[in-house]
Amino acid sequence: MNIVIYNSSEEPIYEQIAKQIKNQIMRGELKGGELLPSIRVLAKELQISVITTKRAYDELEQEGYLETVPGKGTFVAVQNKHMLREMRYKMVEEKLAEAVDAAKSIGLEQDELLNMLKILYEEE
């Protein structure tokens, strides 16, 4: 699991952690049933407070991304395939919405944006 904390970010550290773990789950980098580092180990690796790490794990558990088994650890929740696919669709939709907003802000026409998307999609 690879997590990078940005001290210059206005986003709270626990949200940065939660967001990165969630993205790794949605991209399939973290698989259902996979054991995550303990709260203490992750806090030590990131050189942050255990409370901050716990808050990130708690948030992800409430959202259904993680499951904690007392005495065994915290695991990536086993997602049903349809739910995981829907989460990935949502992620793509959000990124495309950002791209559309950026394109509109510089006056890029729809056909130009579609052409860019086609070129990027066909790249290997």
Side-chain angles (χ1 to χ4, degrees):
M1 185 167 68
N2 184 24
I3 296 177
V4 178
I5 302 298
Y6 299 97
N7 292 324
S8 60
S9 174
E10 292 183 19
E11 186 175 39
I13 292 172
Y14 80 93
E15 286 181 6
Q16 291 181 48
I17 295 167
K19 188 176 186 179
Q20 289 179 52
I21 292 172
K22 191 185 305 185
N23 286 337
Q24 289 178 33
I25 292 169
M26 288 193 290
R27 288 192 304 263
E29 294 169 14
L30 293 173
K31 308 276 188 230
E34 187 172 333
L35 178 65
L36 296 183
S38 72
I39 290 170
R40 284 190 174 91
V41 168
L42 185 59
K44 186 176 180 182
E45 286 177 6
L46 298 176
Q47 298 179 345
I48 59 172
S49 165
V50 172
I51 295 168
T52 302
T53 307
K54 180 170 178 17
R55 187 167 179 189
Y57 274 27
D58 286 347
E59 184 175 294
L60 290 166
E61 192 165 2
Q62 288 175 353
E63 292 178 17
Y65 289 95
L66 301 181
E67 295 174 344
T68 299
V69 179
K72 296 200 180 207
T74 302
F75 299 85
V76 175
V78 177
Q79 304 282 333
N80 105 18
K81 291 186 184 219
H82 298 293
M83 180 66 162
L84 190 56
R85 186 171 175 85
E86 186 60 34
M87 289 184 333
R88 288 182 177 156
Y89 274 2
K90 186 174 186 247
M91 183 177 70
V92 170
E93 189 176 290
E94 288 170 358
K95 299 291 184 187
L96 286 173
E98 288 176 28
V100 168
D101 289 344
K104 285 180 178 180
S105 73
I106 63 167
L108 195 66
E109 295 294 324
Q110 182 180 6
D111 60 332
E112 294 173 299
L113 179 62
L114 289 171
N115 192 38
M116 284 176 140
L117 180 60
K118 183 178 179 185
I119 291 168
L120 290 171
Y121 194 84
E122 291 173 354
E123 282 183 357
E124 288 186 37

